[in-house]
Amino acid sequence: MPTRPKAKVLNHPVMARRMRDKAPRARARGHAAREASDVDSLRRWLDEKGIKKVKVGAVDVDGVWRGKYISLEKFLSAAKGGLGFCDVVFGWDLSDDLLDNTEVTGWHTGYPDTHAKVDLSTGRVIPWEPDTAAFLLDFENKDGTPFEASPRQLLQKLATRARSLGYLPRFGAEYEFFIFKEQPQSLKDKGYQGLTPLTPGMFGYSWLRTSLNAPLVHAIIDGCNEFGLGIEGFHTETGPGVFEAAIRYDDIEKSADKAALFKTVVKEICARHGVTACFMAKVNAKLPGCSGHVHQSLWDLDGERNLFHDAKAPNGMSKLLRHYIGGQVALMPELTALYWPTINSYKRSVENTWAPTTVTWGLENRTTAIRVIGENAKAMRLEYRQLGADMNAYIGMAASLAAGLWGIENEVEPPPPCDANAYAKSDAPPLPRSLKDAVELLKNSERARELLGDGFVDHFVRTREWEVRQYERAVTNWELERYLELI
């Protein structure tokens, strides 16, 4: 097992004590005394780091960070007893347009505050705002149970289930993204057309292009590392202004936090350099799309043995790995809406552009939806290639883990691996071709509801049905250019 670099992330002793202490609520006095001690310890850490304010936030269903700055006094109170956070973040879309079909919140509930608790283990100093600390929030129902619509809590639920079965999931995300010489106002002024990329031409793995943009490239790498995200690799990809970053793998909860934070970190750092980062799945019809591949493996609970590897098995693949892949392959079509959550997601799925179009898997095969990598205990893993840069990391990781665990529990054998061009594999089932079709499959999937929970699936489906309706009402530039004069 390789040694990991120490990320500059707060692993506050508060959390360690709380995890060890299983005392019942009857010990009220001891609990109160411990809380006071916890807050004192947290206050000392904030003082040592020179923190003057705190930024708290959580990811909505679209993967967008929603949060706010709060005073130290307010934060210390929230660290002890939580805080209220308007639940409208689960009742609107990317543009803050209010959804008309949700059950969890809406005009019928009055958009109340929901209770949010601070996850103290997620504390970080923001390198580009050095007097500010960042902490992540989890939402709770009135009875203290997790808020079912919350993506982060969905991920936590699936991670807990994996551990209950004896598996430690370790995941790692990698993102491709465009960088444009634009700012929010210039994007709007140009109507999001004719944008200027940071670098011209098709130049993948370019030593030159990264060096020519060294101030920005190093700001992203160093900023991510100082923020505890652990960048393992960074390079240009094929396309003008396209880059790829690989985030070092970790236990799945930490990995999902890092992946979700990565996108906003890159956007914030780029903004400080006068440019804009774009994580759309497909920006230009003539160029490849942007992936959000997720590497996955299951280990024993001590983190010492990779359970996907069996030296005596063909290609080093354990029976556990075969069944894990079997579950993912079997459930891939009906879970696609969770992996490809936007209208634009499906524009990336085009033949001969490195993105999958069929339900396939293979050994070291980049034309398939799942790629198995490595033949030894250190490297054996799979790369879930269906996921794009527009994924919600919590949802994408949770859904693919759930499908894999389902395959293990039901001993699902995968079809034979694809050892050629998966785009030419005529007998492979196609992936859904639109968000509307994918949502319909998810809506009717009993297995998705069983694995992820009725509450989450129902809310997610409603948000995607809203997204489809907005698109169906839109008049696009393609329609104007094709029909306005000649039809």
Side-chain angles (χ1 to χ4, degrees):
M1 184 67 189
T3 302
R4 301 185 186 194
K6 292 183 178 179
K8 295 183 179 179
V9 180
L10 165 63
N11 292 311
H12 201 276
V14 170
M15 296 307 294
R17 285 198 298 271
R18 286 181 179 171
M19 291 297 290
R20 288 195 303 266
D21 194 332
K22 303 295 184 181
R25 289 183 178 271
R27 294 175 57 188
R29 284 189 176 181
H31 183 68
R34 189 176 66 255
E35 282 190 344
S37 174
D38 291 347
V39 173
D40 288 342
S41 174
L42 181 58
R43 190 192 300 272
R44 285 194 300 273
W45 181 83
L46 295 168
D47 288 342
E48 289 170 3
K49 300 297 181 183
I51 301 301
K52 297 179 180 178
K53 65 186 80 70
V54 176
K55 196 174 190 179
V56 294
V59 161
D60 66 14
V61 170
D62 286 295
V64 175
W65 283 98
R66 305 285 187 170
K68 55 187 174 181
Y69 293 98
I70 59 176
S71 68
L72 288 182
E73 181 181 5
K74 173 73 173 177
F75 172 70
L76 290 168
S77 173
K80 185 177 179 180
L83 73 160
F85 202 106
C86 183
D87 74 0
V88 73
V89 297
F90 293 101
W92 60 24
D93 66 8
L94 282 163
S95 301
D96 288 7
D97 288 328
L98 296 171
L99 308 179
D100 62 8
N101 61 347
T102 55
E103 294 285 336
V104 299
T105 190
W107 294 117
H108 62 289
T109 66
Y111 297 106
D113 275 356
T114 190
H115 187 259
K117 62 179 181 180
V118 182
D119 185 343
L120 295 180
S121 72
T122 64
R124 293 164 161 84
V125 177
I126 303 176
W128 47 96
E129 300 178 46
D131 66 347
T132 306
F135 287 82
L136 307 189
L137 299 174
D138 286 320
F139 297 102
E140 292 182 330
N141 297 312
K142 291 181 178 179
D143 61 1
T145 56
F147 189 66
E148 281 193 290
S150 170
R152 188 168 191 258
Q153 280 142 296
L154 174 72
L155 187 281
Q156 292 169 355
K157 180 176 78 170
L158 267 299
T160 298
R161 173 156 177 68
R163 285 182 174 83
S164 74
L165 296 172
Y167 312 127
L168 173 64
R170 284 180 168 165
F171 281 42
E174 54 187 29
Y175 283 103
E176 297 169 353
F177 55 97
F178 280 77
I179 298 180
F180 294 106
K181 293 181 179 179
E182 308 288 349
Q183 298 183 34
Q185 191 59 52
S186 71
L187 291 173
K188 292 182 181 295
D189 291 344
K190 290 184 174 183
Y192 302 92
Q193 300 292 315
L195 308 181
T196 304
L198 181 66
T199 60
M202 311 288 278
F203 208 169
Y205 297 101
S206 171
W207 186 309
L208 175 63
R209 287 286 188 259
T210 48
S211 292
L212 291 177
N213 293 280
L216 174 59
V217 169
H218 287 284
I220 293 173
I221 295 172
D222 295 344
C224 286
N225 286 335
E226 290 171 16
F227 200 53
L229 305 188
I231 300 302
E232 198 166 52
F234 192 97
H235 62 87
T236 62
E237 255 296 347
T238 299
V242 185
F243 294 83
E244 178 175 350
I247 306 168
R248 183 167 175 77
Y249 74 93
D250 208 328
D251 296 353
I252 189 171
E253 297 95 332
K254 293 180 180 179
S255 184
D257 285 343
K258 292 174 183 179
L261 285 167
F262 173 80
K263 290 167 73 171
T264 193
V265 165
V266 170
K267 290 176 183 179
E268 290 180 33
I269 293 173
C270 281
R272 283 164 171 75
H273 286 255
V275 295
T276 294
C278 169
F279 289 84
M280 282 179 64
K282 189 80 166 182
V283 176
N284 188 312
K286 298 178 181 179
L287 298 172
C290 292
S291 72
H293 300 157
V294 174
H295 295 249
Q296 309 179 9
S297 56
L298 297 182
W299 295 66
D300 64 15
L301 293 178
D302 293 327
E304 298 296 331
R305 187 165 61 93
N306 184 351
L307 301 179
F308 277 2
H309 179 255
D310 181 351
K312 298 179 181 179
N315 302 303
M317 293 177 56
S318 69
K319 181 172 69 173
L320 191 84
L321 174 54
R322 289 202 324 271
H323 293 160
Y324 189 89
I325 293 172
Q328 292 186 325
V329 168
L331 301 188
M332 195 178 292
E334 61 202 81
L335 299 184
T336 285
L338 299 162
Y339 305 137
W340 290 348
T342 73
I343 295 293
N344 182 253
S345 300
Y346 300 79
K347 306 296 176 67
R348 170 175 160 259
S349 178
V350 179
E351 291 184 356
N352 304 318
T353 60
W354 306 104
T357 59
T358 55
V359 181
T360 49
W361 75 280
L363 304 170
E364 279 291 4
N365 190 335
R366 285 184 167 88
T367 68
T368 57
I370 296 174
R371 168 186 168 224
V372 175
I373 304 170
E375 293 186 1
N376 57 55
K378 178 181 178 180
M380 180 64 74
R381 65 194 185 278
L382 66 83
E383 177 189 46
Y384 206 95
R385 295 178 59 82
Q386 185 182 11
L387 292 160
D390 58 349
M391 69 167 173
N392 183 320
Y394 294 110
I395 297 174
M397 290 186 184
S400 56
L401 174 63
L405 295 177
W406 177 83
I408 291 171
E409 290 183 285
N410 292 278
E411 298 185 343
V412 179
E413 287 291 342
C418 176
D419 58 5
N421 183 357
Y423 299 120
K425 190 172 173 57
S426 60
D427 61 339
L431 291 166
R433 302 310 310 144
S434 70
L435 181 59
K436 185 174 185 177
D437 291 344
V439 168
E440 192 64 22
L441 288 174
L442 178 63
K443 185 177 183 177
N444 295 317
S445 172
E446 294 182 4
R447 292 179 291 196
R449 294 179 179 276
E450 174 189 345
L451 297 174
L452 306 177
D454 252 325
F456 176 82
V457 172
D458 179 69
H459 180 69
F460 184 86
V461 164
R462 290 171 184 270
T463 66
R464 297 310 95 185
E465 288 177 335
W466 163 272
E467 193 78 3
V468 169
R469 280 192 284 131
Q470 305 320 296
Y471 175 69
E472 289 177 339
R473 296 169 181 172
V475 178
T476 66
N477 286 337
W478 184 89
E479 293 168 277
L480 293 174
E481 291 172 4
R482 193 167 186 86
Y483 302 129
L484 189 146
E485 178 189 3
L486 300 177
I487 197 71

